[in-house]
Each structure stands twice: as C-alpha cells, then as structure tokens.
Amino acid sequence: MEILRKIRKATLLVRSAGGRADLVHTLGLRSRQEEKTERYLEKLGVSRYLIKGYPDECPLNRNKAYDLANLHRIVRRLRPRVVIEFGCGYSTLAIAHALKTNSEKHGRAGRLYVVEAVERWASNVREKLSDLSDL
C-alpha cells in the first residue's frame, strides 16, 4: 500500500510540474543520493570551489549539488578537449575542476571557454578558480 501511495503522489507531482527534485524526494530517494553526492564532491575536492561569493549569488542547494556531481562525472568520463559554456556559475567550477583532474590523471588537457555577459559574475568565478588558472 505504501508504494501505491508514493506512486499516486509522484504522478500528481509530475502532472503539476513539481520538478524532478520533488518527485525524487517523494519516492524517498533523496537522502541516500544526497549523501553520495556530498561524499563525491568532497572526496575529489570540488566542494571547496562551490562557495557563495557575492551576497546576491544563489546558494548551492542539494538539487544543484546533485546536478553538478553528475556534470563532473560526465566531463571526467568523456574527457573532452574543449568545452564551451554560455554563462558562468557553479557549473563552470565543476567543469573546470573535472578538466583539471583529467589533465592530471590522464595527461589529456582540456580547455574551457566561457561566454559571460556580466563582468561581475565572470570575476566572481575567476576569483574562485584562482588556483586552477592554467585552464
């Protein structure tokens, strides 16, 4: 009966466009995945770059952390030579770290090009990535 209740609730969330996060939470999958995500980002040292810079910068929440961990894993697995991103933010930090790690572990350097219209946000990310400046 419990699983049927969860399925009904999940169906309602999907219909109401509650989002993936609500659906995953309803199905009871968040806590284990959150822990894995936090451990992954901590273990590889990505977390230290995912800090809030400006006061009006959106804080990193668990949904974003989950997506960033997946993005990091994808870049690590695919080992791209060039990544182009439009708009910088937490994803830029995750991609840059993954490219740097690939370069160190596999000797395959990747380049990250970011197009950002607002200098303030670009400098915010540059400041966070100061020790990954060879990217």
Side-chain angles (χ1 to χ4, degrees):
M1 287 308 252
E2 179 67 20
I3 192 72
L4 289 176
R5 187 182 64 74
K6 286 185 177 184
I7 290 172
R8 281 190 202 112
K9 191 171 181 181
T11 304
L12 290 174
L13 285 171
V14 169
R15 285 185 190 149
S16 67
R20 182 195 57 138
D22 292 338
L23 178 64
V24 172
H25 180 70
T26 300
L27 295 175
L29 304 174
R30 287 300 296 151
S31 61
R32 195 174 336 141
Q33 197 60 41
E34 286 172 4
E35 291 174 15
K36 286 173 118 178
T37 298
E38 289 172 12
R39 274 184 277 150
Y40 176 83
L41 294 173
E42 274 297 320
K43 180 179 134 188
L44 294 176
V46 182
S47 294
R48 69 185 185 136
Y49 300 104
L50 304 177
I51 55 172
K52 189 173 173 182
Y54 293 122
D56 58 338
E57 183 177 5
C58 294
L60 182 67
N61 61 36
R62 291 179 173 154
N63 297 333
K64 286 180 190 174
Y66 179 79
D67 291 340
L68 292 172
N70 284 334
L71 178 62
H72 192 273
R73 286 183 187 105
I74 289 168
V75 173
R76 291 286 316 276
R77 285 186 186 132
L78 295 179
R79 297 181 197 154
R81 294 202 186 261
V82 175
V83 176
I84 301 171
E85 184 177 30
F86 294 90
C88 64
Y90 290 122
S91 59
T92 308
L93 304 168
I95 293 168
H97 186 274
L99 290 172
K100 178 74 172 177
T101 304
N102 284 347
S103 177
E104 292 170 351
K105 290 196 175 188
H106 304 290
R108 183 174 180 160
R111 301 288 298 177
L112 173 60
Y113 298 96
V114 180
V115 178
E116 176 56 63
V118 182
E119 176 57 35
R120 178 174 181 243
W121 296 117
S123 64
N124 181 38
V125 169
R126 260 190 245 112
E127 186 178 309
K128 292 177 185 180
L129 290 176
S130 60
D131 60 332
L132 294 175
S133 60
D134 61 331
L135 286 172

